[in-house]
Amino acid sequence: MSDPTVVFVAGIGNSDPDHWQRRWHDRLTGSVWVEHRSWDHPVRNEWVSDLEATIHGIDGPALLVAHSLGCTLVLQWAAEHVGDGVVGALLVAPPDVHGPAFPGRAVGFDRWVPARLPFRTVVVVADDDPYGTPEHAAGIAAAVGGDLVQVGSKGHINAASRLGDWSEGWAVLDELRSAARPRSRSPR
């Protein structure tokens, strides 16, 4: 059994070259980026289908690394697909889809019903994220049976936060990847 393929799930507008997601994708040989027809006018059902197709196009298990609306996408995908082939998820800066800052051009993303996920999940939040409060992120972590990591004042944990390679987040991903690696069995 192989190491999980890291699948990057960006949010509205996609992640530019200065975003930690792009930097990590460049760093991780064999990682995959979920692509969408429209990054600026996301439609839930299209994005769920895109994620499903990407996961099913991978040979072996997948580990999802999502940011912003990508977190919401992962949660909505998992509610319909029961985690097929996914062994873990890192959800960074999940937005509050009912909050005042949530973009109205994102269609259909307010239907997620919280449920425990069948794979290890880590939710990361900043104290000053304009799109989702620490309480909102804690609620998601509790609902999905995941761990919560608070990273202080880092805004929306995106390129505007000027995190570069974001070593603190990389350490969380590295731990999640280690936990998701298949264990070799000792001969009896």
Side-chain angles (χ1 to χ4, degrees):
M1 191 174 191
S2 62
D3 282 355
T5 298
V6 176
V7 177
F8 289 94
V9 188
I12 194 167
N14 206 348
S15 294
D16 65 31
D18 291 329
H19 196 292
W20 58 266
Q21 270 190 316
R22 283 289 179 189
R23 290 170 177 246
W24 291 6
H25 177 258
D26 292 345
R27 192 170 165 184
L28 289 168
T29 304
S31 63
V32 175
W33 198 271
V34 178
E35 293 291 345
H36 302 293
R37 178 184 60 80
S38 175
W39 285 100
D40 295 324
H41 300 282
V43 176
R44 179 207 179 272
N45 292 345
E46 288 178 15
W47 279 35
V48 167
S49 293
D50 294 340
L51 178 55
E52 175 70 0
T54 300
I55 291 169
H56 278 280
I58 293 170
D59 183 27
L63 192 150
L64 308 177
V65 177
H67 178 259
S68 193
L69 189 61
C71 300
T72 306
L73 172 59
V74 166
L75 297 172
Q76 294 194 7
W77 168 85
E80 295 176 8
H81 297 92
V82 198
D84 297 341
V86 173
V87 295
L90 177 60
L91 307 178
V92 179
D96 182 348
V97 297
H98 299 291
F102 189 75
R105 63 185 186 210
V107 178
F109 287 90
D110 58 349
R111 294 187 256 164
W112 174 63
V113 177
R116 184 167 287 284
L117 295 178
F119 46 80
R120 178 140 184 244
T121 305
V122 178
V123 179
V124 178
V125 64
D127 297 337
D128 57 348
D129 188 337
Y131 296 100
T133 64
E135 294 78 17
H136 170 73
I140 289 174
V144 302
D147 299 319
L148 180 69
V149 175
Q150 294 182 293
V151 294
S153 298
K154 290 191 175 38
H156 194 47
I157 313 175
N158 57 7
S161 302
R162 298 181 180 188
L163 300 172
D165 287 338
W166 190 35
S167 60
E168 179 181 21
W170 181 265
V172 175
L173 174 62
D174 196 42
E175 194 279 324
L176 188 58
R177 288 176 68 209
S178 292
R181 283 192 179 101
R183 305 281 182 235
S184 58
R185 297 186 181 188
S186 10
R188 294 193 178 236

